[in-house]
Amino acid sequence: SNESNEIPGSRNLLKNPSGADGLRGWKQYSQNVSWKVEESDIPSDDDNTTTNFVSSFQWCIMGQSVPLHKFLRRPSSARIRIEASAKTMGRTDC
């Protein structure tokens, strides 16, 4: 028997991954500069999402915690593989 402790399927576990709800769900760690959300003419994923996060030309950091225990049936015995990725693109207006 190939028992899995993971909920089947590949999905994004981040809240508000493209900024459709502004910066809700994200914590900004940079003190003097901040992230913003802008509309883009170019969709950023297969769902035709047109909002994305933008930063200044300075170093900006933001993040969020994902409560993995909510996505596992038996967290104490789970062996999971976590992959993280981000899509980036250069600006087209400057």
Side-chain angles (χ1 to χ4, degrees), residues 9-84:
S10 175
R11 64 181 177 201
N12 190 342
L13 302 178
L14 296 177
K15 294 180 181 176
N16 190 24
S18 64
D21 292 325
L23 296 171
R24 180 173 286 142
W26 291 92
K27 179 176 181 179
Q28 296 193 60
Y29 293 99
S30 305
Q31 294 180 3
N32 299 324
V33 292
S34 65
W35 290 87
K36 294 181 182 177
V37 176
E38 289 184 356
E39 289 286 328
S40 173
D41 295 335
I42 303 169
S44 61
D45 58 25
D46 295 335
D47 295 331
N48 293 321
T49 301
T50 58
T51 54
N52 55 36
F53 297 105
V54 296
S55 67
S56 71
F57 291 102
Q58 297 177 15
W59 190 255
C60 291
I61 302 170
M62 70 176 183
Q64 65 178 259
S65 296
V66 177
L68 294 176
H69 67 280
K70 292 184 178 181
F71 301 98
L72 299 171
R73 293 185 188 137
R74 294 190 341 234
S76 62
S77 64
R79 287 188 159 177
I80 61 173
R81 181 175 150 191
I82 298 172
E83 293 183 17

